[in-house]
Amino acid sequence: MNINDIESSKTAPFDICIIGSGAAGLALAETISRDVSVCILETGANKPTNDAQQLNKSECIGLDYDLEESRNRAVGGTLHTWQGTIAPFDPITFERRDWIPHSGWPISRLDLDQAYHNAYRVLGVDSVAHHFNGLSDDCLEQVSDFGVPGDTFRTKPFILMKMQLEGLCKRLRKRVLSHPNVTCVTNATVVEIVPTDEKNGTISNVRALSLDGQIEKSIHARQFVVCSGGLESPRILLASKQLGENGLGNDHDVVGRFFMDHPRLRSNAIPLQKAFNAPIFKHVTTGNCGLKTGLVARDDVQRCEKLGNYNVFLTSVGFDLEQKASNVLTSRDTTGDYDTSKAKNTNGTRLKTVQALRRVWRTMPVRMRVSIESMMAKQSHKNLAFILKMEQAPNPDSRILLSNTKDRLGVPRLALDWRLSALDHELLQNFIRTLRQSFAAKGFDAGALDFRSSNGEYIFQDSSHPSGGTRMSDDPKTGVVDRNLKVHDLNNLYVCSSSCFPTVCNANPTLTIMALACRLGEHLNRQKIAAPGIATPLPKTTLGVRDVLNPNRKQLESNLTNARDQYG
């Protein structure tokens, strides 16, 4: 349904209004009880359009960041250009680490275990996910033969959805939106979240405008959930000023702060004694999915050496494609698409080159990407490079702000002041030192391993994993939402996004975003939000994915008993 088609009678209260139809919004809608009326508001249409994408224009006032190309205003959101790499967050991510201020979640990894299984089901990979919970004997043999320092690093498997990614948005859209109780309104940009006149901590409605700004509708609901992504979710709260100039949920000036990503660095190539071709460090295919393996410092090593929870991927390279492309660009007239004047460091050409290559890769058809990956996995080279994904430390000075300029709908544009702190640089040096020492001890020529460019500077590339602007905390002074993702001091407003992450681990955020959405959906079901007796509360112990798909009474009872024995 387009916002143009909404009649005044259709704006009667829904049970839940979900703002955004990306990974979080669709997973949430699928989890919510089918007896509950749901309205999903989406800026774009079924596919990204230039008209909708224009609303992504933002200001970058800190480190260079891809603020426009990485976001898709369409049903499915960034799933349209998502690379399909998934892995759960590590247990240590949820812990309070005394060497990393502001670390620690109000929930544990155990609280998300079932939600991760449900997220696998939503993505359609639950049937293969259990194959990748650990590495096979063959994979472990490859790791051992290669000489990975197992006393310092452990392997971490990442599922690659590969061909399973093809058509994902269409499948999810059809499955979720075909239910008669779910109404998806496209061409509807939420410009403000409006509290009741009594200002009693309750949200009354949201104001939504058509893309041309000519049509405005007020959508009323009993509960509201902002699922607008890691950048847009904080912006909506900041721009909703009827309860105060600081915006909603911002009594303690936390909204927008603690912005994080996974800064990415690529090392120089170090020589190997013989050609390297261990598929476990590239891609292993099982059916329509694949596996890529990273290396993460063991928990005891992280505590002892005061490391961030970083991840490195090993790659055998014949040459550095990014540097080769940069050299070509710097030898020609850098005008038009190759303008590097906005780069915030002297390595602007390479940084812009990386962003251009990533843009091409994102928009490439899935089948072509899979073919290229399969071809590359068969190659052997006598060089080794490391691709490092940092876990950025929480930093209140790294933040999302509102710009002084407004978009065509009258909403202040987003301004991002992305910063890395002195602690980030310290944690990085600690990790590189540990990496060099551990690999050198295994006979690698790791002494020359370096992640800096030729002029001695680090080129920090964002991973398009915006996180942290509405962080989760039981204390409203240090967070925007509580452990159930409800905005502090507001009765019926939730946020479900990577912006809720207190820390970012080393994994792509999509799976954890969807896990939080599944967990929130179950929480809302238990709240009986629609009316007394409508939504059926879930049992205290949530059933496993296969139990939901194949309900058998005796099996369910057995599973419940086993779960109680395991978790108490």
Side-chain angles (χ1 to χ4, degrees):
M1 175 186 294
N2 191 290
I3 192 173
N4 304 322
D5 303 323
I6 297 180
E7 301 173 5
S8 57
S9 60
K10 297 296 185 182
T11 59
F14 291 90
D15 293 321
I16 299 180
C17 175
I18 299 174
I19 305 170
S21 67
L26 292 179
L28 176 62
E30 177 151 296
T31 306
I32 290 172
S33 169
R34 289 311 193 195
D35 292 327
V36 173
S37 61
V38 177
C39 176
I40 303 175
L41 299 177
E42 171 55 52
T43 291
N46 286 340
K47 293 183 179 181
T49 63
N50 290 333
D51 197 23
Q53 291 298 102
Q54 289 298 313
L55 292 175
N56 282 344
K57 288 188 177 297
S58 307
E59 296 180 19
C60 189
I61 59 178
L63 289 172
D64 199 85
Y65 197 95
D66 182 2
L67 287 169
E68 299 176 19
E69 301 278 352
S70 62
R71 294 184 283 162
N72 296 312
R73 290 178 179 260
V75 179
T78 53
L79 292 177
H80 282 278
T81 50
W82 179 45
Q83 303 302 296
T85 303
I86 53 179
F89 279 12
D90 303 321
I92 195 173
T93 300
F94 299 85
E95 298 176 7
R96 172 74 175 92
R97 291 166 279 173
D98 56 15
W99 65 97
I100 302 181
H102 308 293
S103 60
W105 293 45
I107 61 176
S108 69
R109 163 62 188 272
L110 185 61
D111 293 320
L112 275 185
D113 276 353
Q114 181 59 47
Y116 274 128
H117 287 296
N118 293 341
Y120 285 136
R121 176 180 55 81
V122 174
L123 287 170
V125 297
D126 50 301
S127 61
V128 300
H130 68 280
H131 290 301
F132 296 143
N133 287 338
L135 298 182
S136 67
D137 291 341
D138 178 61
C139 292
L140 289 172
E141 185 177 349
Q142 289 184 36
V143 172
S144 177
D145 289 346
F146 182 73
V148 169
D151 55 340
T152 306
F153 291 92
R154 64 176 178 83
T155 54
K156 178 169 182 173
F158 289 74
I159 296 178
L160 304 172
M161 291 189 63
K162 288 184 173 287
M163 294 309 302
Q164 189 72 16
L165 191 62
E166 190 173 46
L168 174 64
C169 283
K170 185 176 181 180
R171 292 194 303 273
L172 269 178
R173 183 172 69 238
K174 181 178 180 180
R175 196 167 71 228
V176 174
L177 305 186
S178 62
H179 195 277
N181 281 0
V182 176
T183 300
C184 182
V185 182
T186 57
N187 187 24
T189 301
V190 172
V191 296
E192 186 180 22
I193 301 172
V194 182
T196 60
D197 293 337
E198 294 79 10
K199 297 184 178 180
N200 57 0
T202 301
I203 301 303
S204 167
N205 63 88
V206 296
R207 290 177 52 234
L209 292 178
S210 58
L211 283 173
D212 58 11
Q214 298 301 306
I215 298 176
E216 178 177 332
K217 295 291 183 180
S218 293
I219 308 299
H220 296 258
R222 293 183 172 87
Q223 303 281 357
F224 297 85
V225 187
V226 181
C227 298
S228 303
L231 292 165
E232 200 67 20
S233 295
R235 179 197 181 203
I236 292 175
L237 295 186
L238 289 170
S240 300
K241 297 180 178 294
Q242 291 201 25
L243 289 181
E245 279 302 307
N246 288 340
L248 289 176
N250 202 24
D251 291 345
H252 301 281
D253 190 26
V254 183
V255 175
R257 292 189 181 272
F258 297 96
F259 178 85
M260 299 169 288
D261 200 276
H262 291 127
R264 176 183 178 273
L265 292 170
R266 184 191 182 95
S267 79
N268 60 334
I270 61 175
L272 298 174
Q273 294 180 354
K274 62 179 181 179
F276 160 49
N277 183 20
I280 187 59
F281 295 120
K282 300 174 184 178
H283 302 98
V284 176
T285 300
T286 298
N288 287 332
C289 291
L291 172 70
K292 179 168 64 173
T293 300
L295 299 178
V296 179
R298 294 186 176 277
D299 290 359
D300 58 330
V301 175
Q302 291 188 40
R303 296 186 178 97
C304 179
E305 301 296 330
K306 298 189 182 306
L307 306 179
N309 192 22
Y310 294 5
N311 174 67
V312 287
F313 292 113
L314 308 186
T315 177
S316 56
V317 290
F319 63 93
D320 187 339
L321 175 61
E322 295 171 2
Q323 188 59 57
K324 290 285 186 181
S326 297
N327 293 341
V328 170
L329 293 183
T330 52
S331 66
R332 56 186 289 182
D333 180 19
T334 56
T335 58
D337 292 340
Y338 299 120
D339 180 16
T340 63
S341 61
K342 294 183 179 180
K344 298 297 191 290
N345 54 53
T346 58
N347 298 283
T349 302
R350 174 161 178 147
L351 188 59
K352 290 297 182 184
T353 302
V354 172
Q355 292 173 347
L357 290 172
R358 188 167 59 183
R359 187 157 53 246
V360 170
W361 187 253
R362 278 197 191 115
T363 56
M364 189 179 295
V366 173
R367 291 179 182 273
M368 186 178 296
R369 288 206 308 262
V370 171
S371 297
I372 293 174
E373 289 170 345
S374 300
M375 180 181 65
M376 293 175 63
K378 298 175 182 179
Q379 302 298 313
S380 296
H381 297 288
K382 296 192 67 174
N383 296 289
L384 176 68
F386 295 82
I387 298 175
L388 172 62
K389 290 288 184 74
M390 298 168 58
E391 179 195 33
Q392 182 178 348
N395 174 14
D397 293 328
S398 180
R399 63 188 302 193
I400 294 169
L401 301 159
L402 294 181
S403 168
N404 291 326
T405 62
K406 295 182 178 181
D407 63 23
R408 66 171 183 264
L409 300 181
V411 181
R413 294 190 187 278
L414 181 150
L416 177 62
D417 187 3
W418 183 35
R419 302 186 187 186
L420 297 182
S421 64
L423 176 60
D424 284 310
H425 288 273
E426 179 183 340
L427 295 172
L428 174 61
Q429 295 306 316
N430 292 347
F431 185 86
I432 293 175
R433 183 188 66 249
T434 302
L435 191 67
R436 284 174 178 158
Q437 291 175 349
S438 57
F439 272 82
K442 285 290 186 177
F444 291 89
D445 185 15
L449 181 65
D450 200 347
F451 287 87
R452 293 173 297 182
S453 65
S454 57
N455 65 359
E457 295 185 7
Y458 290 108
I459 309 175
F460 294 107
Q461 307 158 21
D462 71 87
S463 297
S464 297
H465 298 161
S467 308
T470 62
R471 69 195 319 255
M472 188 192 310
S473 173
D474 284 334
D475 184 353
K477 294 180 180 180
T478 59
V480 178
V481 299
D482 63 17
R483 63 179 57 214
N484 292 317
L485 305 184
K486 186 182 75 66
V487 176
H488 289 294
D489 300 325
L490 292 174
N491 302 322
N492 62 336
L493 179 63
Y494 295 78
V495 180
C496 186
S497 158
S498 57
S499 63
C500 299
F501 296 173
T503 52
V504 292
C505 190
N506 51 54
N508 306 59
T510 303
L511 180 66
T512 300
I513 293 170
M514 298 182 79
L516 287 176
C518 292
R519 182 174 182 269
L520 174 59
E522 294 180 352
H523 171 74
L524 293 176
N525 287 342
R526 289 192 293 271
Q527 300 305 303
K528 298 183 179 180
I529 59 162
I534 290 184
T536 303
L538 297 177
K540 291 183 178 180
T541 304
T542 309
L543 303 178
V545 174
R546 288 176 181 164
D547 301 329
V548 175
L549 297 177
N550 183 24
N552 178 281
R553 182 176 181 80
K554 291 184 179 180
Q555 184 63 47
L556 296 183
E557 292 175 350
S558 174
N559 288 339
L560 285 170
T561 301
N562 292 338
R564 292 190 185 103
D565 291 341
Q566 182 177 357
Y567 300 120

